[in-house]
């Protein structure tokens, strides 16, 4: 069987990366289309990933994280090669083997739930590789309002997407940037919020960026109320919304640099809220930059 | 004596905070703030140490007599022991 291999360059938050794999696999990645990048000569590639279908390799398991039926097992193949195995309801869907600095990655797909495995593995390798490039992947819903970005943080199910939708419905000059994993990058002393190919259940894939205005942590409550967090609360709540390999010191240092910067320059608001328009208006009246 | 690897001194908005970074997420549970002297001692304690070696470093860095240094170091190490920072 002859397969054609495709090389595709993408640009997310001004970080360029290369994905190599069979044509049919790469073509199915429609959420990455807005991020396709042609001018690869002009820019450094920060990492590449090759994707193939095959059998996973033996490795030493170090830690495990579970979320519903989804499992991420971290480990090592040798002292130098980190491994990340993805399972859905006990079945392996993919195994990502990286070089130590995460600049190189090989994703071995089992053939089951391939797009899910690719999206998770690419987002992971992206996050691990770019953490020392002042870039972090947030778990948040991000909107723009009058050309500034506002991010809503909170545990899954807290109502981030709902709150964004209320802004879009009831406030003019608003647009959704990304509904699950916007990417934040510090450039020249300011933070920018970028769209990404990873947007959860809402298909919002935009090659845009906006300067960050404010960040809000949401919490379901019987009344709408908003206040500023203390510095320490802000730091820890921001960190909670950024997944990372914290047991790796270099990685943790990179995360801390960005988290400190965001804490000191932007801080965090805390919003107790109902899923209603008043919550969006109250929030906007307090947090939006004039 | 050794500090557990998962505890890291982070400077957050001008404060010295010990953060547990052993897992994927960090907990906003019990936060230990260190004053500047304790934070300085924490940096000296990154390699294997004894109360005596820390007290000696303290005397070399600050204007303090040996007895006071030993007393201060013992008090700080007691707190670190209680907080679970020591192996």
């Amino acid at each position: 069987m002859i397969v054609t291999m495709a090389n595709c360059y993408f640009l997310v938050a001004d970080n360029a990366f290369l994905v190599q794999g069979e044509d049919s696999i790469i073509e199915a990645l429609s959420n990455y289309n807005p991020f396709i990048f042609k001018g690869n000569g002009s820019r450094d590639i920060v990492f590449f990933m090759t994707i193939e279908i095959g059998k996973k390799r033996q490795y030493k398991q170090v830690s495990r994280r579970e979320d519903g039926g989804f499992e991420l097992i971290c480990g090592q193949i040798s002292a130098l090669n980190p491994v990340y195995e993805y399972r859905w309801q006990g079945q392996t869907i993919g195994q990502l083997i990286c070089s130590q600095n995460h600049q190189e990655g090989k994703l071995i797909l089992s053939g089951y739930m391939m797009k899910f495995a690719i999206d998770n593995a690419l987002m992971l390798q992206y996050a691990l590789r770019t953490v020392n490039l002042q870039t972090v992947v947030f778990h948040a819903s991000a909107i723009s309002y009058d050309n500034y970005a506002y991010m809503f943080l909170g545990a899954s199910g807290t109502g981030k997407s709902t709150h964004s939708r209320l802004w879009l419905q009831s406030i003019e000059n608003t647009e959704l940037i990304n509904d699950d994993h916007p990417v934040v990058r510090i450039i020249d002393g300011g933070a920018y919020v970028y769209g990404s190919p990873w947007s959860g259940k809402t298909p919002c894939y935009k090659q845009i960026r906006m300067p960050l205005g404010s960040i809000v942590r949401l919490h379901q409550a019987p009344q709408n109320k908003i206040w500023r967090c203390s510095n320490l609360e802000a730091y820890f709540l921001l960190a909670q919304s950024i997944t990372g390999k914290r047991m790796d010191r270099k990685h943790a240092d990179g995360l801390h640099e960005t988290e400190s910067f965001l804490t000191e320059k932007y801080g965090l608001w805390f919003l107790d809220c109902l899923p209603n328009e008043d919550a969006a208006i109250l929030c906007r009246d307090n947090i939006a930059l004039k | 004596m050794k500090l557990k690897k998962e505890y890291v001194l982070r400077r957050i908005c001008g404060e010295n905070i010990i953060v547990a970074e052993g897992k994927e997420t960090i907990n906003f549970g019990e936060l230990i703030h260190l004053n500047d002297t304790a934070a300085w001692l924490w940096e000296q304690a990154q390699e294997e140490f004894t109360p005596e070696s820390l007290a000696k470093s303290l005397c070399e860095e600050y204007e303090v007599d040996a007895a006071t240094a030993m007393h201060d170091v013992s008090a700080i190490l007691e707190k670190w022991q209680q907080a679970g920072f020591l192996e």
Side-chain angles (χ1 to χ4, degrees), chain B residues 20-53:
Chain B
E21 291 179 0
K23 300 182 211 158
E24 306 280 326
T25 50
I26 46 181
N27 277 324
F28 184 40
E30 292 145 34
L31 284 189
I32 310 284
H33 296 232
L34 297 189
N35 64 30
D36 287 340
T37 308
W40 183 85
L41 275 176
W42 183 277
E43 300 292 10
Q44 311 319 304
Q46 292 303 298
E47 303 293 326
E48 187 130 16
F49 63 91
T50 62
E52 291 73 23
S53 69

Side-chain angles (χ1 to χ4, degrees), chain A residues 128-189:
Chain A
L128 294 173
R129 169 63 184 106
T130 61
V131 73
N132 295 107
L133 301 173
Q134 292 83 46
T135 303
V136 288
V137 179
F138 260 88
H139 176 216
S141 182
I143 54 125
S144 72
Y145 168 54
D146 279 353
N147 298 315
Y148 277 97
Y150 298 94
M151 291 202 299
F152 306 122
L153 316 183
S156 293
T158 320
K160 303 186 286 298
S161 300
T162 304
H163 194 73
S164 285
R165 242 179 287 131
L166 288 163
W167 276 65
L168 299 171
Q169 276 164 218
S170 54
I171 300 172
E172 288 189 355
N173 295 334
T174 52
E175 188 186 334
L176 186 64
I177 295 175
N178 184 283
D179 205 29
D180 199 27
H181 288 103
V183 179
V184 174
R185 185 165 190 172
I186 317 293
I187 300 177
D188 291 334

